[in-house]
Every structure is written in structure tokens, then in C-alpha cells.
Amino acid sequence: MELVGRVVRARSPFRFYGPDPQHMVDTLEREWCETFGHKHALGVSSGTAALSIAMSALDIGPGDEVMVPGYLWVSCVSAVVRSGAIPRLVDIDETFCIDPTDLERKIGPHTRAVLCVHMSGAPGRIEEIAAICKAHDLRLVEDCAQAAGASTGGTSVGRFGDIAIFSFQLNKNMTSGDGGLMVCEDDALFRRIVALHDLGYARTPAGRLDTSDEACQLWGVGARMSELAGAMALAQMRKLPAITGAMRSSKWRIREALGDVQKLRFRVVPDPSGDTGPFLLMILPDAELADRFVAAVRAEGISGPEGSLACLTMREWGLHWYSNIPSLVHKRSNARDGFPWTHPSNAFAADYSYAFGALPTCDDLHHRGAILAIASTLTEKDERDIVTAIRKVADALLR
Ligand SMILES: Cc1ncc(COP(=O)(O)O)c(C=O)c1O
């Protein structure tokens, strides 16, 4: 409230113009770099915009294929399609992130980049994926929208790839009422990112447009972060370790308390110390039991406040699954000519299918998976209630 109030009182909600700028977005970027060890950070208006900017910054377009996991968010695919490239589905493993073996098997002559999505709060096998990208000279974009504050082997997410993006939307580890952030190590690439998120041009230190640099005469998307969002994100970022610490502790206490429950398995997390903990992912023996398990857990009162998403089957998790995204399954276009699916340079992908059945492990986990949201405010009693409810339901259904 204090930081947002300062922006309002100064009557300067815009990043680049205003009578008395408070430099909230600048401060957010600087503190983000200091906290997580990045060279460059840029506040943007959303994670969706950030993904599109990343594709353009890496010069991805028709003739290129970008590897995406089947458990993701619709924005990951839309960024690739809007760039004119083709998304290539890669299976996941029990980390619920990219399966490095399937990734390596599918790399072909058109593959330019890998979009690795750190789903549901925790990285998967990111070190192996980064090594594969390096060996095959592919660009790596990390989507850390759901994993702000996460790490692997002590290295923060976003430091394994060429570009990484974060989202501060609802249901994220921190929020600014829409907003996002991009990080990158390379100076020239970062200049392109800055130009693309704005009007296609660089800016002078005083915030005026600089059209003189030929490398930055591009087409921008107008995705600047406002000072109001910047102030909120800054306040939230300072609380992020407390938020993720609370979720991680609660989640792992619950998970350990359920460790001996027969036939209930959990997602594999390669480095639990780098998990941020917002979701407990469970794997049931089959789809029917997943339905009955979730219904019974909800009936035990583990449902969260009205309108929240406390406990769901993975099939109910909407546009997080490739086969639930109609515009992908049906290869929809924003243009009358069917671009990019019909572009001659993309003819190599004519027989790619995005319908259910394309990714065996992903489809299996989609069918028999369940997801429980873990709030950062759970009390010990809340944790005990969750464990008691799940044990009771498992006793009845999973013997
Ligand atoms: C994995 C992932 N990527 C990208 C996004 C897009 O972020 P935003 O909602 O800020 O556009 C989201 C969330 O909404 C997400 O979960």
C-alpha cells in the first residue's frame, strides 16, 4: 500500500513519463537482479506478452520449430504461433516438466528453441535440458511464470536459459494485479527485448525514444509495466522468500505425512530445496479413482474459499494441457490465410497432431493426476485437516 500510495500521490503512474517519477519499475528490476543473480531484468505488462517478446527477440519465425511440453499454459503456444513458428509437443515425465529423453529424440533440422516451463512451482530436469540445448545449439527460453523464487542446485530459475519470463498474475507466487518480468544475460539481446516490449526502439537514459540504433528499429508490442504494477510487484518481491518458504514447508510436511499411503504417488521433484510449493501434484491409480478421490477430498471440506481452486483433477485444469486447447488442437489462425500453419516454410509440420494421444505420459498424468493448491497462510491445523482428509479418503478408496 505504501509504495502504491507513493506512485498515486506523485501522480506519476507511467514508467517513462510523468511529473515526479518514483522509479518503482527501475527499483524492482534492480532488486530482482541483485536477489536472483541476473544481469538484466525488465518489468512487462504480463507473462503472455513476455513470451511473445522472447520469441521475437530470438528472431524466431516461419521455418522454425519450438519445443514445448504438453503440460504448460496456453500462452506458451500462442507465443510460438504468433511468431510464425511451429510448436512441437514434447512429452513430460513424472516431474510434470519436459522429459529430456523425449526432447532429445524429437530434435530435428527445424528445431530452433526449447520453451521449458517450470510448472506448478518447481523446476524439472532443467540442468539436463540446458545441456541438451547447448549440445544442439538451441536457444532456451525458461517460462518461470509459476515458479518465481524457485531454484535447482542453488541456481535460480531463469539463469539456465537465454531468456526467462515471469508472471505476476493471479495464482502466482507473487502478483501485481497483472504484470511480468523478463531476464537475460546478453547485452545485445536485452536491448532487443527492451525495444520490443515498448515501441520497437531503444530509449535514452532520460526515457525519450531513440530511433538511431539500426539494431533496434523493430516492431514493439506496447507491453510496458506501469509504475502502479511496479510498486505492487516490488512490495511483493520483498515478501517472496516468506511466501515461498511458507508454501514449501507446508507442502512438504503434508507430503511427508502422507508418504506411507498406498497407491497415492506424488510428482517427482529433483531438488526439493528449490521447490516453491504452491501445488501438491498427486498421481492416482486410474482416471476413475482420480475423480472419486478428488470428489471425496472436497466433500471432506478441503475446498478452499468459494471460487478458489483448492483440489481438482488434472482434467479440470483447463488450458494447462495441450489437448484442452482448442485453438491448438484445431490449428486456428488469427489471419484469414491460416498463418502460420499454411506458411510454405512450415510445410515440414503439416502432419503434426495436437489432439489427445500425441504424448503418452502427458495423457496418462492428465487422466489420473490431481492437484491441490497450497496457500502460504496454512496453519498447522489446516495442514493436519488436509492430511486427515486425504488419509480418510485413501483408506476408503485406495486399499
Ligand atoms: C506457465 C505460464 N506461462 C505464462 C503465463 C502467462 O502469464 P500472464 O497471465 O501474466 O499473461 C502463465 C499464467 O498465467 C503461466 O502459468
Side-chain angles (χ1 to χ4, degrees), residues 46-48 51 73 75-76 117 119 143 145-146 167 169 172 179:
S46 74
T48 303
L51 285 165
W73 179 240
S75 308
C76 305
V117 194
M119 290 299 287
D143 180 337
Q146 299 189 7
S167 162
Q169 205 249 354
K172 303 295 187 288

Side-chain angles (χ1 to χ4, degrees), residues 5-278:
R6 237 191 266 167
V7 172
V8 174
R9 283 192 296 276
R11 287 177 292 135
S12 287
F14 306 109
R15 174 170 194 170
F16 291 117
Y17 310 99
D20 181 15
Q22 299 297 300
H23 303 289
M24 294 294 171
V25 183
D26 288 338
T27 310
L28 168 72
E29 293 165 353
R30 196 183 61 246
E31 289 194 16
W32 193 280
C33 286
E34 285 164 8
T35 307
F36 299 109
H38 303 292
K39 185 163 183 197
H40 298 294
L42 177 73
V44 293
S45 59
S46 74
T48 303
L51 285 165
S52 270
I53 294 161
M55 293 299 137
S56 302
L58 293 173
D59 209 8
I60 284 168
D64 296 334
E65 177 174 86
V66 178
M67 310 305 241
V68 296
Y71 179 47
L72 76 179
W73 179 240
V74 59
S75 308
C76 305
V77 198
S78 73
V80 178
V81 172
R82 291 172 66 90
S83 78
I86 292 291
R88 175 88 194 262
L89 292 174
V90 180
D91 216 343
I92 60 172
D93 56 21
E94 288 197 2
T95 65
F96 283 78
C97 295
I98 283 182
D99 172 0
T101 309
D102 197 50
L103 171 65
E104 197 147 34
R105 192 171 66 75
K106 286 181 174 159
I107 291 170
H110 294 278
T111 313
R112 275 283 313 285
V114 175
L115 178 51
C116 181
V117 194
H118 302 302
M119 290 299 287
S120 310
R125 304 187 199 284
I126 182 62
E127 288 166 314
E128 283 171 67
I129 291 162
I132 292 170
C133 290
K134 198 161 181 221
H136 293 268
D137 197 21
L138 302 176
R139 310 313 294 266
L140 174 58
V141 177
E142 289 178 75
D143 180 337
C144 315
Q146 299 189 7
S151 61
T152 289
T155 300
S156 298
V157 289
R159 290 185 54 198
F160 297 90
D162 296 284
I163 298 177
I165 74 99
F166 295 83
S167 162
F168 305 145
Q169 205 249 354
L170 180 78
N171 258 333
K172 303 295 187 288
N173 291 350
M174 56 171 272
T175 179
S176 60
D178 278 318
L181 194 107
M182 302 181 70
V183 296
C184 147
E185 301 302 300
D186 183 273
D187 297 344
L189 188 56
F190 188 66
R191 270 181 78 74
R192 267 176 79 83
I193 289 172
V194 172
L196 286 162
H197 104 291
D198 193 2
L199 294 167
Y201 299 96
R203 288 198 184 253
T204 65
R208 298 279 146 203
L209 284 168
D210 169 8
T211 58
S212 65
D213 177 359
E214 280 188 28
C216 284
Q217 293 172 351
L218 300 161
W219 301 104
V221 294
R224 292 176 299 273
M225 178 177 256
S226 82
E227 283 284 283
L228 288 167
M232 198 164 157
L234 179 58
Q236 286 260 301
M237 191 205 90
R238 291 172 176 167
K239 293 183 206 155
L240 187 60
I243 295 169
T244 56
M247 294 190 299
R248 178 171 48 247
S249 305
S250 286
K251 171 184 155 175
W252 284 89
R253 272 196 294 267
I254 292 168
R255 196 174 142 150
E256 271 151 29
L258 294 170
D260 61 340
V261 174
Q262 298 291 306
K263 300 185 188 167
L264 177 66
R265 300 211 336 267
F266 298 102
R267 162 203 206 166
V268 171
V269 178
D271 180 2
S273 67
D275 184 3
T276 58

Side-chain angles (χ1 to χ4, degrees), residues 225-387:
M225 178 177 256
S226 82
E227 283 284 283
L228 288 167
M232 198 164 157
L234 179 58
Q236 286 260 301
M237 191 205 90
R238 291 172 176 167
K239 293 183 206 155
L240 187 60
I243 295 169
T244 56
M247 294 190 299
R248 178 171 48 247
S249 305
S250 286
K251 171 184 155 175
W252 284 89
R253 272 196 294 267
I254 292 168
R255 196 174 142 150
E256 271 151 29
L258 294 170
D260 61 340
V261 174
Q262 298 291 306
K263 300 185 188 167
L264 177 66
R265 300 211 336 267
F266 298 102
R267 162 203 206 166
V268 171
V269 178
D271 180 2
S273 67
D275 184 3
T276 58
F279 296 103
L280 181 69
L281 304 191
M282 297 168 279
I283 306 171
L284 283 303
D286 60 44
E288 195 211 323
L289 279 169
D291 283 342
R292 291 172 60 200
F293 176 88
V294 165
V297 169
R298 284 185 191 157
E300 289 298 316
I302 308 303
S303 51
E306 204 180 333
S308 75
L309 301 166
C311 190
L312 299 175
T313 65
M314 276 299 194
R315 270 161 292 140
E316 295 172 290
W317 202 212
L319 302 180
H320 286 100
W321 295 95
Y322 76 95
S323 54
N324 285 354
I325 303 175
S327 43
L328 176 64
V329 172
H330 304 296
K331 300 187 183 177
R332 299 287 188 229
S333 171
N334 285 353
R336 281 198 306 280
D337 69 356
F339 178 86
W341 311 103
T342 50
H343 193 288
S345 302
N346 290 336
F348 68 89
D351 63 349
Y352 286 6
S353 167
Y354 302 98
F356 187 85
L359 301 175
T361 306
C362 201
D363 296 346
D364 181 40
L365 294 174
H366 165 268
H367 255 47
R368 58 196 184 95
I371 180 165
L372 176 75
I374 305 289
S376 60
T377 50
L378 291 187
T379 61
E380 276 178 31
K381 179 177 179 309
D382 293 331
E383 291 174 17
R384 271 199 312 276
D385 287 348
I386 290 171
V387 170

